[in-house]
Amino acid sequence: MEQTFRIRGMHCASCASIIEKSLGKVDGVDSIEVNVGTEKAKISFDESKTNAQALSKIIEPLGYTLVMSDALNAVSSMQTATEMGPVRGREGTQRSSASNGMGMSESEHAAHLGLNQSKAEKLTELASMKTKIITIMPMAVIAIVLMTWDILAEFDRVAAAPAAWGASFRYLLAVMATYALFVVGQPYLLGFYRFLRYGKANMDSLIGIGTSAAFLYSITVTAFAEQLKAYVNVSVTYFDVAIVVIAFITLGKYLEARAKIKTGDAIEKLLNLQAKTALVIRDGKEIEIPVDQVVHGDIIIVKPAGKIPVDGELTEGTSYVDESMVSGEPVPVEKNVGDKVVAGTINTTGAFTFKATKVGSETLLAHIITMVEEAQGSKAPIQALADKISGIFVPVVLVIAFVTLFAWLGLGTPSLGFAQALSFGLVSFVGILVIACPCALGLATPTAIIVGVGKGAKEGILIKDASTLEKLHKVTTVVVDKTGTITKGKPELISIQNESRMSETELIAVLASLENKSEHPIASAVVSYAKGHSINLRAVENFQALKGKGVQGTIDGTEYFAGNARLIGELSLRLDANAIAKKTSEGKTPVILATAKEIIGTVLVADAIKPEAVEAVAALHKLGIQVVMLTGDNAQTAAYIAEQVGIDEVVAEVMPEDKLIKVKELQTDGRVVAMAGDGINDAPALAQADVGIAMATGTDVAIESAGITLLHGDISKLVKAIRLSKFTMRGIKQNLFWAFAYNVIGIPLASGLFYPLFGWLLSPVFAGLAMAFSSVSVVTNSLRLKTKAL
């Protein structure tokens, strides 16, 4: 089975590498993928050989825990909330019972109710870190002031402190450094301890080793000054380094954690869309119940401004529903009897009742939340290099630090003397350990993915995984299906040509009254137009369907005929055959209304082009992307529509298998292909394309075959999706550049490599500052994606 767990105690990319290596070699674990950005692990394992509790026990000594109550996405039809383990307390038992009844896991039920324990824990952790920062920052300021005083006095910029003051300052710094290391720096000491005991090192281990070395050296030369003054300069201590480094690192972690919470706020906003209660009719009475108690078939009442609690179908009333939260569309959508409504959307003015058809994890909102969570937790291929480097980063840095220390002692002693060489060596040792930043590398990709996927969800663009988002920015050709993608997918009355003294309204009233008796799809388009324009239908007598030609009937004593050119020909009425043929070649179906003596008018019915299609294709061209249209329609109709929309290439009269072949041909030509479609016949081509894009108005098969789903089938969102991909990948590359730059420049500088040439030696204080803000800058850069207009 496959499960996703939240991991407690994970702070950096090296942590992710340790967890993957530790659990990956366990018998029964088939695969494991840890994401440092979401702090979650997706584990596939054999339940007969191991279980979640056993896996958690393996990593607990290393400082990590799999959070059982937050297990997500159990991929097993037999898995229920009961199997997830006992739930304590009366409230927990009620929730477990409710979730079992709805076929949901405990975490799905929590999401269904809008709960987010993870964020609550994060906020508690933030509050604890803030308290530590408030206590240590004044100490860091004192240490920096004293450090600056010493440096300025050395260059005769200020008077040196009296000897008595110097001793007092040293003891004060020793007390503050003890508090900094053993209270605020406790996580780093634990990292040091776990490294010594288990041989596993992460970022905390590096900080712990570096600050402990500075503290132990300083406390030793302070306590044994008389005995050591012949060998080392006992007046030089590094208490200030331990204080300031721990203060800056802790501040950086606090700012990073606060920023990371913001990266995932898309999920929180989606969770908050869920209504907490529903007003249902039970035993003829209106009762308000918790939303988790709603079952299939319940009749639910929605009042003005009320949230829709579950998915369903209108049974009574009309209204306009604001669906912007789940589709990104700002204009409320009209709802009538028989129309579908979606959980999390908001009713505007009217009141209506609807029947619940999907509840709990079945709803579109729950599906969106799950899809966004999975996408945010997935890894993009571009992250592979960063993961490989992060996996060996800490051991390599430790080796570099020790080699540097011994190099200073071995090579520096002859020219500098032992005391000075030891001092420089210790500064370099601590500086390397402190400035090395696996965190920035680890966060570069996932934070950008989290923000990008979340922004897409707000725009009605659902992204299945990070790999799809990465591929999308490389797309050179977009293949679209005509019906439902370029066109609306259903016949509409698009034009009226009145050739009589009748008003246009009267003409439509007569035609729609006749067609209302017909079951032909073209007839329904005429009737829908009449209803949409509030045109009343009239009584029809002597109605007769004329197979293959049209209909006839008597209205207000006059006999009317409605149908095709063949019917009009049989009435011996004069008709412009060329004009009719031209319209037919453009994919338009003429419906001619006539009496036995004259033609009254002609209406054209067609699968209308979506208004946004022309703009979308033009925008794709601006992005340097070619557009190919595949359709089963005849070549003339396809060519006409392609010309109207501005499509580059048309392939007409294709079967479903032909669509698949065409996608393969384009890929063989070296193109990166995105395929957009909405029908079952599009599914094979969607699966074959480098990126499959499904219109959510289409079938479930098409949506399952696609990597990206565009809610409401809006093709303009395809352009937004590509722009989003380009913005996200640009952000990832910027993050990776800066993450590598910090380390490539910082580590040699901290090691003293440039000292013989330029006299440059980086103080561990500045190394700590650089390290602290490297992660913050990466997360902040990712957050900039939120401000980008698509």
Side-chain angles (χ1 to χ4, degrees), residues 48 77 265 287 302 322 326 339 359 422 431 563 602 622 654 696 753 772:
S48 65
S77 58
D265 64 1
I287 57 170
V302 181
D322 181 358
V326 294
D339 288 342
V359 299
L422 177 61
T602 304
K622 285 183 181 179
V654 296
L753 193 65

Side-chain angles (χ1 to χ4, degrees), residues 296-569:
H296 295 115
D298 266 341
I299 300 298
I300 299 168
I301 299 170
V302 181
K303 295 182 178 180
K307 273 188 181 179
I308 295 168
V310 296
D311 290 4
E313 188 175 298
L314 253 72
T315 56
E316 185 181 342
T318 61
S319 186
Y320 284 85
V321 175
D322 181 358
E323 297 185 341
S324 61
M325 302 81 169
V326 294
S327 70
E329 297 295 333
V331 180
V333 180
E334 184 179 5
K335 298 292 180 181
N336 297 299
V337 174
D339 288 342
K340 293 180 180 179
V341 289
V342 174
T345 56
I346 298 175
N347 185 26
T348 54
T349 53
F352 60 86
T353 61
F354 73 95
K355 182 173 72 175
T357 57
K358 292 182 180 179
V359 299
S361 58
E362 303 168 343
T363 65
L364 175 63
L365 180 60
H367 177 71
I368 291 171
I369 290 169
T370 300
M371 197 170 180
V372 171
E373 280 186 329
E374 288 179 351
Q376 289 183 337
S378 63
K379 290 187 178 182
I382 196 172
Q383 193 176 342
L385 177 61
D387 282 348
K388 286 179 183 177
I389 293 172
S390 298
I392 60 170
F393 188 87
V394 172
V396 168
V397 168
L398 278 170
V399 169
I400 292 173
F402 279 106
V403 168
T404 299
L405 174 60
F406 292 124
W408 273 108
L409 293 175
L411 302 176
T413 299
S415 57
L416 299 172
F418 178 76
Q420 189 67 20
L422 177 61
S423 177
F424 283 178
L426 191 61
V427 166
S428 296
F429 177 79
V430 175
I432 290 170
L433 295 178
V434 169
I435 202 169
C437 187
C439 271
L441 277 173
L443 291 169
T445 301
T447 52
I449 292 293
I450 289 169
V451 175
V453 169
K455 186 175 180 67
K458 287 176 68 177
E459 296 283 347
I461 302 163
L462 303 185
I463 299 160
K464 187 172 281 187
D465 53 44
S467 176
T468 299
L469 190 62
E470 180 175 340
K471 286 178 189 172
L472 190 58
H473 94 287
K474 300 176 182 176
V475 164
T476 59
T477 302
V478 170
V479 177
V480 294
D481 179 52
K482 177 185 76 72
T483 307
T485 305
I486 296 297
T487 62
K488 294 181 180 180
K490 62 178 182 178
E492 289 184 359
L493 193 157
I494 59 170
S495 73
I496 303 168
Q497 183 179 346
N498 192 346
E499 300 177 21
S500 70
R501 295 179 180 178
M502 274 187 184
S503 68
E504 194 170 283
T505 300
E506 191 177 357
L507 186 155
I508 293 297
V510 171
L511 180 60
S513 299
L514 286 171
E515 297 289 11
N516 192 41
K517 298 286 187 177
S518 172
E519 296 179 357
H520 197 282
I522 298 297
S524 66
V526 176
V527 174
S528 294
Y529 181 88
K531 289 181 178 178
H533 289 76
S534 302
I535 297 174
N536 296 323
L537 303 187
R538 301 179 184 182
V540 179
E541 297 175 343
N542 305 320
F543 176 83
Q544 186 178 354
L546 307 172
K547 190 174 180 180
K549 295 181 287 186
V551 295
Q552 74 178 73
T554 303
I555 299 174
D556 297 332
T558 303
E559 187 177 36
Y560 293 98
F561 300 84
N564 56 23
R566 181 180 164 193
L567 174 62
I568 302 304

Side-chain angles (χ1 to χ4, degrees), residues 554-633:
T554 303
I555 299 174
D556 297 332
T558 303
E559 187 177 36
Y560 293 98
F561 300 84
N564 56 23
R566 181 180 164 193
L567 174 62
I568 302 304
E570 290 181 0
L571 292 173
S572 301
L573 297 176
R574 215 167 178 188
L575 187 69
D576 188 344
N578 291 332
I580 294 295
K582 183 175 183 297
K583 296 299 181 185
T584 303
S585 71
E586 294 172 356
K588 300 168 185 175
T589 301
V591 178
I592 307 157
L593 178 65
T595 64
K597 296 179 180 179
E598 63 175 345
I599 293 175
I600 296 170
T602 304
V603 300
L604 297 177
V605 175
D607 184 5
I609 294 171
K610 290 183 177 180
E612 64 273 15
V614 178
E615 291 180 10
V617 170
L620 288 171
H621 287 157
K622 285 183 181 179
L623 292 171
I625 295 170
Q626 282 194 310
V627 183
V628 177
M629 186 176 79
L630 305 182
T631 178
D633 274 356

Side-chain angles (χ1 to χ4, degrees), residues 52-64:
Q53 288 81 0
L55 295 174
S56 185
K57 285 180 180 177
I58 292 171
I59 58 174
E60 280 172 10
L62 305 177
Y64 314 110

Side-chain angles (χ1 to χ4, degrees), residues 627-631 633-635 637-643 647-654 662:
V627 183
V628 177
M629 186 176 79
L630 305 182
T631 178
D633 274 356
N634 65 69
T637 300
Y640 173 77
I641 289 174
E643 184 183 351
I647 286 167
D648 302 292
E649 183 181 345
V650 181
V651 183
E653 300 174 14
V654 296
K662 183 60 181 180

Side-chain angles (χ1 to χ4, degrees), residues 75-319:
V75 184
S76 171
S77 58
M78 300 299 292
Q79 184 73 11
T80 64
T82 306
E83 291 173 305
M84 301 289 287
V87 182
R88 297 177 183 174
R90 181 178 176 186
E91 183 182 353
T93 304
Q94 289 172 344
R95 283 183 188 163
S96 180
S97 174
S99 62
N100 279 328
M102 295 173 70
M104 293 190 291
S105 71
E106 193 64 28
S107 65
E108 286 177 319
H109 188 237
H112 179 66
L113 295 175
L115 304 176
N116 192 345
Q117 292 95 348
S118 175
K119 186 176 180 182
E121 288 184 11
K122 287 287 181 189
L123 291 173
T124 302
E125 186 180 340
L126 271 180
S128 174
M129 292 171 71
K130 187 176 182 180
T131 302
K132 289 179 179 178
I133 290 166
I134 290 170
T135 57
I136 198 172
M137 287 312 292
M139 298 181 188
V141 171
I142 293 170
I144 290 170
V145 169
L146 295 178
M147 191 189 312
T148 306
W149 192 346
D150 281 346
I151 293 171
L152 293 176
E154 191 176 334
F155 291 97
D156 296 324
R157 298 294 183 184
V158 297
W165 287 20
S168 299
F169 289 156
R170 180 179 298 188
Y171 294 129
L172 174 63
L173 287 171
V175 171
M176 292 193 301
T178 303
Y179 174 83
L181 185 62
F182 292 97
V183 178
V184 180
Q186 196 175 69
Y188 314 124
L189 289 180
L190 285 173
F192 188 8
Y193 164 75
R194 290 177 184 125
F195 168 65
L196 294 175
R197 181 164 181 180
Y198 303 106
K200 305 287 187 182
N202 60 11
M203 188 201 76
D204 287 351
S205 307
L206 296 182
I207 305 302
I209 294 169
T211 52
S212 295
F215 180 82
L216 290 173
Y217 173 84
S218 302
I219 207 76
T220 301
V221 298
T222 301
F224 304 100
E226 288 298 321
Q227 294 89 333
L228 296 174
K229 66 182 180 181
Y231 308 100
V232 296
N233 184 355
V234 296
S235 65
V236 177
T237 61
Y238 299 101
F239 291 124
D240 49 5
V241 169
I243 297 166
V244 177
V245 165
I246 289 173
F248 282 162
I249 298 297
T250 305
L251 176 63
K253 278 196 167 189
Y254 171 76
L255 295 174
E256 175 192 328
R258 196 171 68 171
K260 275 176 71 179
I261 285 179
K262 292 179 182 177
T263 64
D265 64 1
I267 286 287
E268 184 187 1
K269 287 177 181 176
L270 287 170
L271 288 170
N272 289 336
L273 293 179
Q274 178 63 64
K276 304 300 184 290
T277 61
L279 186 62
V280 302
I281 299 175
R282 297 251 176 106
D283 300 323
K285 297 179 181 178
E286 293 183 13
I287 57 170
E288 190 169 16
I289 61 172
V291 71
D292 60 295
Q293 293 180 14
V294 176
V295 296
H296 295 115
D298 266 341
I299 300 298
I300 299 168
I301 299 170
V302 181
K303 295 182 178 180
K307 273 188 181 179
I308 295 168
V310 296
D311 290 4
E313 188 175 298
L314 253 72
T315 56
E316 185 181 342
T318 61
S319 186

Side-chain angles (χ1 to χ4, degrees), residues 662-676:
K662 183 60 181 180
V663 169
K664 286 182 178 179
E665 282 179 8
L666 292 168
Q667 290 172 324
T668 303
D669 290 341
R671 303 198 207 180
V672 180
V673 180
M675 166 78 186

